[in-house]
Amino acid sequence: MAIVRKPSGGSAVAAQLEQARAQALARWQALGERERLALLLVAGLLSVLIAWSVLLAPALRTLKAAPAELEKLELQLQQMQAQAQEVRALRAAPSVPAAQAQAALTASVEHLGPAARLNRTGDRAVVTLNGISPEMLQAWLSEVRAAARARPVEAQLSRGPKGYSGSLVLTLGGA
């Protein structure tokens, strides 16, 4: 069985490139001295512009923005480390008896006033919120987590003009 090879297209492309190069060289030589100098100047300026746009400007932008970005990332790292420390402290804290956890949860919901309602079922509690500010919600969740060892397992909240509204399902006693 004979293998039939097709001529490669690379030699045709090389011939076309060589022909284009020869035509360009002939046109270049046909130009006057001033025209050549002007084209060289335009080519040089274009090269500088491309080098600036592609190589230097992005690097300078990155160098300029790096300190602010590093500061922002450092702040995020510190916040994450503080949260990790809080988690370790909560895990190390002794468990709270169920009656004490329910009493702490009830007291914390009463601190929120009429904007919050509590329904308990076994080791779970459903807290319905109506117009709670983000700061109050965050403080309340921290209080509930620390005092009652309750943690949210489900949240259906929406943010409106008066704050957050919706419901939170919590498990009690560190379950």
Side-chain angles (χ1 to χ4, degrees):
M1 180 176 216
I3 298 177
V4 177
R5 294 188 181 194
K6 295 181 180 178
S8 66
S11 61
V13 171
Q16 287 177 348
L17 286 175
E18 183 60 33
Q19 182 182 5
R21 191 181 76 72
Q23 286 175 351
L25 184 61
R27 285 185 183 162
W28 178 258
Q29 290 172 348
L31 293 175
E33 188 64 30
R34 281 184 155 181
E35 292 169 328
R36 285 187 204 167
L37 185 60
L39 280 177
L40 285 175
L41 183 63
V42 168
L45 289 174
L46 190 59
S47 299
V48 168
L49 177 67
I50 289 173
W52 174 262
S53 323
V54 174
L55 302 174
L56 296 174
L60 290 174
R61 255 192 318 268
T62 300
L63 284 174
K64 185 178 180 182
E69 188 69 24
L70 285 174
E71 187 175 319
K72 178 182 162 187
L73 291 173
E74 183 67 30
L75 181 62
Q76 286 179 352
L77 176 64
Q78 289 172 0
Q79 289 173 343
M80 289 173 59
Q81 288 172 338
Q83 290 172 347
Q85 181 63 31
E86 182 181 0
V87 167
R88 285 192 289 275
L90 287 171
R91 284 185 180 160
S95 63
V96 174
Q100 187 179 351
Q102 289 182 359
L105 179 61
T106 302
S108 71
V109 170
E110 287 173 0
H111 284 126
L112 293 176
R117 196 175 69 241
L118 173 66
N119 294 321
R120 284 180 283 181
T121 308
D123 69 337
R124 292 198 174 211
V126 178
V127 179
T128 305
L129 304 171
N130 186 14
I132 300 292
S133 72
E135 297 79 18
M136 284 181 64
L137 179 61
Q138 183 180 9
W140 177 77
L141 283 171
S142 296
E143 177 186 350
V144 165
R145 180 68 175 138
R149 304 291 191 274
R151 63 183 173 159
V153 292
E154 184 180 331
Q156 293 179 346
L157 297 173
S158 61
R159 187 170 187 176
K162 294 183 179 180
Y164 285 101
S165 298
S167 64
L168 285 165
V169 179
L170 306 167
T171 59
L172 298 175

